Amino acid sequence: MSLGLPSHLARPANSRAIATAARWAGLVCLAAAVLNVTMSSFGSGNVTSWLTLVVLIPMVALLLLLARGRTVVLTVAYLLVGTVCTYFYVVALLTGTPSYRDTNLFVIALPVVAMTLVGGTGTGSLVGILWATLGFALAEAAVMLAAATAERAYVPDAVSLGAYLLLVGVLAFDGLTRGTRSRAQTALHRAVRDARLVDIRRELAAASTADLHDTVLSELASIASAQPGELDPRLARRIESDLRGLAVGVPGADDPSVHDGGGAGQPAGVPAPDPWYDSELHQAIEAARDEGLTVDVSGDRATFVLLDEEVRRAIGLAVRQCLVNVLRHSGSPVAEVALSAGGGSVSVMVVDSGSGFPAAGPAADRLGVRQSVQERIARVGGTVDIYSTPDIGTTVILTVPTGAERTGGGGPTA
């Protein structure tokens, strides 16, 4: 099975799991052999039985080391020492127990199984099969030689042979089905990648739609509120710059004349301009002022300019939409933008004393509020709270985490 891992990780993980399980199963077999010999020793008091117990100790020690970390050198050492220990174990067992006439005994099969289940040190099925075959062959050769030494009949036992065939079958099945698992995993990972690409395209489309909505709505409001006749040159330049900015994703980035300052080409010795004047929030406030809205600004501007560029842009565009709503819907000639910071977040509050709207009314569900304000701030991990009462006014509070606290994925609260 793939364990839910990618193909390049599932193969070594499966091989290590099978090898580790096989080695611990071999350790259980050796423990069972030690327990059997120990019980026989207490019952008979035979010195040969104790000698049989002693020869198993090196095998147990090496297998414990092998279980902690598999290496080729350690595996080879275990097989060589195990072969010698198996030989003396079988000799001592057969000579110390006259009733044992042949080697077809479960107690003799235990160290043979432990030799077979060495599990290998590679990460491939073929390597594991080769190690298991080598361990089984050496163990059986030791048993055959021990039977000849003790003058007993050599009879292959079904237990050790069954353990060998079972391990080979598991390793062969793992190797034969690995290609099928790899193809299935490739398809799954491709599906995950495609789903992620769809999400990214959706996010980009939503951001582009919000930019288009903000820009078009703002420029239409500007044109509607302008005096009949030729447009004011400053307003015309700003509209042209915003329309060009839709192509590059940063409104106003192509025309530095719409900013109050700029760092490019700054003469030597002249201090750099305040970054506040290049921020999207300041541009939104100035655009609203150009359209006839009186905007009072208060609060901590220094903290705002330290935010990430993406967050500052999101706040600026969201506030721009809020001010457009004040111009179009509130009937108030004055709005206030207040900045504050604390508790790992920065808040920007837009307040007007206009007509307001019921919280459950259709105005709260307008595309401008939902997409250009709430969803935009949510994409940078912030929240939006809207408080509005008819004939009293509207307050919109945008809260975003600072760079150290930002985790993303927040959603709007109103």
Side-chain angles (χ1 to χ4, degrees):
M1 59 181 177
S2 68
L3 306 174
L5 297 173
S7 301
H8 66 286
L9 297 179
R11 177 180 178 179
N14 283 337
S15 298
R16 282 195 298 268
I18 294 173
T20 301
R23 285 195 297 271
W24 281 104
L27 192 60
V28 170
C29 291
L30 290 180
V34 170
L35 181 62
N36 177 77
V37 173
T38 302
M39 295 178 62
S40 300
S41 301
F42 279 116
S44 63
N46 192 342
V47 177
T48 306
S49 298
W50 288 106
L51 180 61
T52 306
L53 179 63
V54 170
V55 298
L56 290 175
I57 294 177
M59 278 188 75
V60 174
L62 281 174
L63 191 53
L64 285 173
L65 291 175
L66 192 60
R68 295 185 60 183
R70 57 179 182 174
T71 63
V72 174
V73 175
L74 198 57
T75 304
V76 171
Y78 171 76
L79 291 177
L80 295 177
V81 172
T83 302
V84 176
C85 291
T86 300
Y87 168 76
F88 285 108
Y89 169 82
V90 175
V91 169
L93 200 63
L94 292 177
T95 56
T97 310
S99 59
Y100 293 163
R101 297 297 181 182
D102 55 53
T103 58
N104 188 17
L105 300 168
F106 178 73
V107 68
I108 292 179
L110 290 174
V112 177
V113 173
M115 287 278 290
T116 304
L117 296 179
V118 67
T121 60
T123 57
S125 300
L126 179 60
V127 175
I129 292 175
L130 292 176
W131 280 113
T133 302
L134 180 60
F136 179 74
L138 290 175
E140 285 296 319
V143 172
M144 188 181 302
L145 184 59
T149 302
E151 298 180 350
R152 299 289 195 275
Y154 168 75
V155 178
D157 64 278
V159 175
S160 58
L161 180 61
Y164 168 73
L165 294 177
L166 176 63
L167 180 60
V168 170
V170 170
L171 293 174
F173 178 79
D174 178 67
L176 292 174
T177 59
R178 184 167 292 154
T180 303
R181 293 198 308 268
S182 177
R183 289 192 294 271
Q185 290 173 23
T186 301
L188 288 174
H189 289 295
R190 185 182 297 112
V192 172
R193 182 199 62 186
D194 292 343
R196 179 55 184 157
L197 289 176
V198 170
D199 291 339
I200 293 174
R201 293 191 187 101
R202 185 183 296 113
E203 292 173 1
L204 292 175
S208 299
T209 301
D211 288 347
L212 179 63
H213 175 271
D214 292 349
T215 302
V216 172
L217 185 61
S218 175
E219 307 312 349
L220 288 176
S222 301
I223 295 172
S225 61
Q227 295 294 328
E230 187 177 354
L231 285 177
D232 179 86
R234 183 178 178 183
L235 178 58
R237 286 197 304 271
R238 183 168 62 81
I239 292 176
E240 182 182 358
S241 176
D242 284 348
L243 293 177
R244 283 201 307 269
L246 289 175
V248 298
V250 183
D254 294 301
D255 190 358
S257 65
V258 301
H259 304 304
D260 289 13
Q266 191 73 16
V270 178
D274 188 341
W276 159 260
Y277 294 104
D278 272 338
S279 67
E280 287 82 358
L281 179 56
H282 179 262
Q283 295 171 33
I285 294 170
E286 290 302 311
R289 287 171 175 169
D290 290 343
E291 294 164 16
L293 182 66
T294 301
V295 183
D296 297 326
V297 182
S298 61
D300 186 3
R301 301 179 186 180
T303 304
F304 175 78
V305 299
L306 295 178
L307 292 171
D308 294 343
E309 181 180 354
E310 180 186 4
V311 180
R312 293 200 309 270
R313 171 174 161 78
I315 291 178
L317 294 176
V319 169
R320 180 175 184 174
Q321 181 60 44
C322 291
L323 295 176
V324 169
N325 287 340
V326 173
L327 282 167
R328 294 188 60 195
H329 303 294
S330 73
S332 173
V334 179
E336 180 182 359
V337 177
L339 297 88
S340 62
S345 64
V346 173
S347 296
V348 180
M349 182 168 59
V350 182
V351 183
D352 69 76
S353 55
S355 59
F357 56 85
D365 296 325
R366 274 197 296 263
L367 177 64
V369 174
R370 183 178 67 254
Q371 188 175 78
S372 298
V373 179
Q374 293 176 323
E375 292 184 6
R376 189 189 299 282
I377 297 301
R379 282 196 293 271
V380 295
T383 59
V384 178
D385 295 289
I386 301 175
Y387 305 94
S388 185
T389 305
D391 301 324
I392 294 179
T394 301
T395 299
V396 180
I397 303 176
L398 316 175
T399 304
V400 294
T402 58
E405 302 291 334
R406 183 179 173 191
T407 56
T413 62

